[in-house]
Amino acid sequence: MTNTFIRLLIPVLFAAAFAGFVSCATHTSMAKRHPGNMQPGQLCSDCHTDWRVTQNHTADFAVRHKFLAARQQQVCGMCHVETFCADCHANKEELKPSDKFKDAPERIMPHRGDYLNQHKIDGKIDPASCFPCHGRQNNERCKVCHI
Amino acid sequence: MFTLYRRLGEIGLMIYRFFLLIVVGALFFPATSKAFTFTGQSRTYLQARETISGENLTPLYEYLDFKIENVGSADVSFHFGGWARADLTGETLGKKTNNELQYAYVSYRRPTSNAIVSAGRLYVFEGVASEQIDGLYTRTDLKGAFGVAVYGGSPVETDVNTRSGDSIYGARVSYELRGTYVVGLSYLKEDDNSADFREEEGIDLWVKPGAKVLLQGRSWYNALTSGWMQHNYHLLLGPFDKLNLNVEGSKVSYGDYFQSATVSAFTFPSIDPNETVSAVGLGARYTISPSLIGIIEYKNYEYDLAGGADYYGGGITYAASSGYGAGISLYRMDGATDNLKYGAYRAYIRKKRGKTDATLDLLHVAYDQAISGVTDAYTVVGALGHDMSAKARVVADLEYGRNPDFDNEVKALLRFVYRFGAKAR
């Protein structure tokens, strides 16, 4: 069975990861802090021309950043601390992200305005889009009505 | 043999405590304490709002995050984030107080090969995994452009049962040709009380075949239901002069995707396990001038069982270095039936002058079918911010709403942000 195979593979990968620590690749790690001074509203392409321009925080970044997040530990972490992500990706969060940033109307925030009514439609049309944030966590509020 | 993974949480906790001891111990050693960098942020929110039942709530929240870095000569750091709430009047969600430990972990980074080991409560974003765990995480680049990440511990999720003996573990292996492509294979296993709860496998992709083409995507497979949970691909084209295009395609099989839901809004039969949705999205962004950008979007949803839906609209945003910002947007959701149709309209304006900024935001949702006899939801938001110094900022905002739940809804929020140490976002 492939599953048994994968389960057996995991300890091997653990070993590989630790082996990597001790020897393997020797290139310099990415900086801990981003060396440039990026201001809100700026694009990566204002200063970079290589692969980094694909991380341009344009308006569609709200939908797109999930594809890049596997680099969270290195790339995103140069500019963002986890709290930044936790405003939207949380377990027990009680404040709507948009309530915390009323002074930043240009940011792409889920659930602006009165969402308790609109969610009945969005949730019916595309429940899969809600699931990563509310499916197994951050759903105390939902349980008031969705018992 | 797999009880090993259940132990990982405990091992993680041990390592976490051990390093924490070192960090705290070193803090009190004058010889080493000079080397520390301590940065963080405190955010305090005081909100005033009313519930549908007419109760007045004034929750006071304190969010704190900080990191202690460069402990000693090795690159050891401690990271913390969490919040606590106390209600001055009323009870939010039936509790006078509440709190959350978002993350608290120690981390060791090697100066080479992007190698990291972290232990404690932490976030893991590795392929199929976007999880919060109590445990151990490690990643490193290997020789020949391979990378590997492995994690294990116990999941941090809403309690559904006693959930003792839970465990979660998984890994992602990637191959990267910097600037050209990244392919990742990932695996995740979660046990609830020793019973299989989730077993997911995934492929993720990042391909840049040319200067103006970027393809990103992922496919997740549910090994417990033996079916693909989702395929989600996104193609980015441009810039062609001032035009950027994107195309998105996704397919979700509800029976496989929602199998591990723990809130009734997403469990079967509230969600139909036989349903499949395929969505196609198209978007265009036009940079009229560096400060003026126009967007149009269209997304179509096709279901195996239910009737289809269209979502479309667009907007214009303006952001000038003079401190002016403004935007308008018009969107329309066209579901199969009248109760699934609405229009969402928004306009905002923002002005920053010196250390002070002001925002006015207007939102209107027009439902085709009245909800509780009301077809329109209006929200007016006003916010006033002031930078007291490079480290301190205060914002006061007032929101007025008229919607199916409230004839007059007033929400107010006072926010105070203080950054200590070097600037962190």
Side-chain angles (χ1 to χ4, degrees):
Chain A
M1 268 285 293
T2 54
N3 296 341
T4 332
F5 171 71
I6 290 175
R7 288 186 208 188
L8 287 169
L9 198 65
I10 298 236
V12 178
L13 290 177
F14 250 119
F18 281 113
F21 253 92
V22 186
S23 62
C24 289
T26 48
H27 55 268
T28 314
S29 294
M30 219 171 258
K32 255 195 313 190
R33 286 228 169 75
H34 182 246
N37 180 18
M38 178 180 165
Q39 295 300 318
Q42 266 189 312
L43 295 177
C44 315
S45 57
D46 290 347
C47 304
H48 299 296
T49 51
D50 55 7
W51 62 275
R52 291 172 280 204
V53 305
T54 62
Q55 307 221 353
N56 268 351
H57 287 26
T58 46
D60 59 336
F61 198 66
V63 176
R64 209 157 51 81
H65 73 266
K66 62 180 171 221
F67 298 122
L68 301 164
R71 295 177 164 190
Q72 196 260 345
Q73 297 281 339
Q74 303 122 280
V75 182
C76 320
M78 289 193 314
C79 299
H80 297 295
V81 291
E82 283 96 334
T83 315
F84 179 86
C85 317
D87 278 333
C88 296
H89 297 287
N91 181 32
K92 286 164 77 179
E93 185 60 47
E94 295 177 349
L95 286 169
K96 272 200 313 187
S98 57
D99 277 352
K100 287 184 185 160
F101 297 101
K102 298 237 169 87
D103 56 330
E106 71 285 354
R107 285 190 59 182
I108 314 294
M109 286 282 161
H111 321 340
R112 281 189 192 276
D114 161 47
Y115 200 66
L116 272 179
N117 289 293
Q118 192 185 324
H119 97 276
K120 298 169 196 166
I121 299 177
D122 292 353
K124 197 85 151 197
I125 302 275
D126 194 6
S129 70
C130 326
F131 188 75
C133 296
H134 296 297
R136 279 181 303 271
Q137 69 273 76
N138 204 12
N139 49 31
E140 288 304 324
R141 189 181 304 279
C142 323
K143 286 179 182 160
V144 175
C145 303
H146 298 281
I147 358 138
Chain B
M1 112 153 242
F2 298 111
T3 48
L4 167 69
Y5 298 115
R6 244 153 264 143
R7 291 280 129 76
L8 271 181
E10 294 158 32
I11 297 171
L13 198 65
M14 265 167 54
I15 299 183
Y16 168 68
R17 285 188 184 135
F18 175 71
F19 275 106
L20 193 59
L21 209 69
I22 295 183
V23 171
V24 173
L27 268 177
F28 291 98
F29 258 96
T32 52
S33 61
K34 269 200 213 87
F36 281 105
T37 57
F38 181 74
T39 52
Q41 179 177 231
S42 152
R43 296 185 288 169
T44 312
Y45 302 91
L46 179 63
Q47 192 183 38
R49 61 188 288 199
E50 200 186 325
T51 62
I52 296 177
S53 56
E55 190 186 4
N56 284 315
L57 300 177
T58 38
L60 176 68
Y61 289 90
E62 168 60 27
Y63 282 70
L64 180 70
D65 69 89
F66 63 84
K67 47 184 176 183
I68 303 171
E69 291 171 295
N70 306 324
V71 181
S73 52
D75 197 347
V76 176
S77 55
F78 174 68
H79 307 246
F80 177 91
W83 56 263
R85 180 227 337 137
D87 286 341
L88 306 186
T89 64
E91 282 185 358
T92 304
L93 294 170
K95 280 192 261 178
K96 202 89 194 131
T97 60
N98 200 2
N99 63 72
E100 178 182 7
L101 177 64
Q102 294 170 319
Y103 55 91
Y105 64 92
V106 287
S107 197
Y108 166 70
R109 281 171 54 111
R110 241 176 65 133
T112 55
S113 63
N114 291 307
I116 300 170
V117 202
S118 300
R121 171 166 296 186
L122 42 91
Y123 286 96
V124 177
F125 297 108
E126 292 290 350
V128 277
S130 56
E131 316 292 324
Q132 205 180 359
I133 69 166
D134 286 330
L136 200 59
Y137 167 89
T138 173
R139 78 144 331 267
T140 180
D141 297 341
L142 299 174
K143 263 216 165 68
F146 282 99
V148 55
V150 199
Y151 55 90
S154 51
V156 180
E157 289 170 345
T158 317
D159 286 339
V160 273
N161 49 36
T162 55
R163 299 203 59 161
S164 58
D166 289 7
S167 70
I168 187 165
Y169 58 86
R172 175 170 177 268
V173 183
S174 58
Y175 185 80
E176 167 162 12
L177 201 59
R178 171 68 40 102
T180 309
Y181 69 90
V182 186
V183 188
L185 292 177
S186 54
Y187 174 81
L188 177 152
K189 179 79 200 320
E190 181 174 341
D191 288 343
D192 177 7
N193 257 327
S194 316
D196 289 346
F197 180 55
R198 292 164 70 197
E199 182 160 13
E200 299 168 9
E201 292 153 19
I203 304 170
D204 57 88
L205 208 66
W206 184 102
V207 191
K208 198 169 188 314
K212 294 185 191 295
V213 187
L214 174 65
L215 175 69
Q216 301 176 93
R218 53 191 204 173
S219 294
W220 294 170
Y221 182 80
N222 188 333
L224 297 182
T225 58
S226 303
W228 289 101
M229 301 163 73
Q230 63 161 334
H231 303 283
N232 189 343
Y233 290 82
H234 190 276
L235 182 67
L236 213 67
L237 301 169
F240 306 109
D241 192 17
K242 293 172 169 176
L243 186 68
N244 284 271
L245 300 171
N246 64 68
V247 185
E248 194 196 356
S250 68
K251 183 169 181 175
V252 179
S253 151
Y254 286 7
D256 304 302
Y257 187 86
F258 291 102
Q259 167 258 327
S260 61
T262 62
V263 67
S264 68
F266 301 112
T267 50
F268 313 128
S270 167
I271 296 278
D272 187 338
N274 298 315
E275 184 68 283
T276 301
V277 58
S278 309
V280 178
L282 301 170
R285 193 178 76 248
Y286 193 79
T287 311
I288 304 161
S289 81
S291 53
L292 197 62
I293 293 169
I295 290 172
I296 50 169
E297 289 174 285
Y298 168 76
K299 193 161 180 176
N300 171 262
Y301 298 88
E302 283 299 328
Y303 306 87
D304 274 5
L305 307 173
D310 289 308
Y311 182 70
Y312 50 89
I316 295 182
T317 57
Y318 174 74
S321 50
S322 63
Y324 266 116
I328 52 165
S329 64
L330 309 167
Y331 282 89
R332 168 96 188 142
M333 175 69 88
D334 253 333
T337 47
D338 275 354
N339 65 332
L340 297 177
K341 292 182 200 253
Y342 65 79
Y345 315 107
R346 177 169 181 230
Y348 70 80
I349 180 161
R350 178 180 145 84
K351 166 82 183 153
K352 185 171 173 73
R353 190 170 179 181
K355 291 179 160 32
T356 306
D357 50 275
T359 302
L360 183 67
D361 199 350
L362 312 172
L363 302 105
H364 173 201
V365 181
Y367 298 101
D368 285 34
Q369 191 183 84
I371 302 174
S372 322
V374 178
T375 51
D376 296 279
Y378 296 99
T379 311
V380 180
V381 181
L384 210 57
H386 181 73
D387 293 328
M388 300 159 77
S389 72
K391 297 188 164 191
R393 175 169 167 81
V394 61
V395 183
D397 71 59
L398 199 65
E399 176 178 318
Y400 173 80
R402 174 179 288 218
N403 54 56
D405 295 328
F406 292 92
D407 290 336
N408 297 295
E409 181 184 21
V410 180
K411 277 207 275 188
L413 188 96
L414 191 66
R415 164 171 134 225
F416 178 68
V417 182
Y418 186 77
R419 296 199 185 92
F420 34 92
K423 190 172 173 187
R425 280 212 168 82

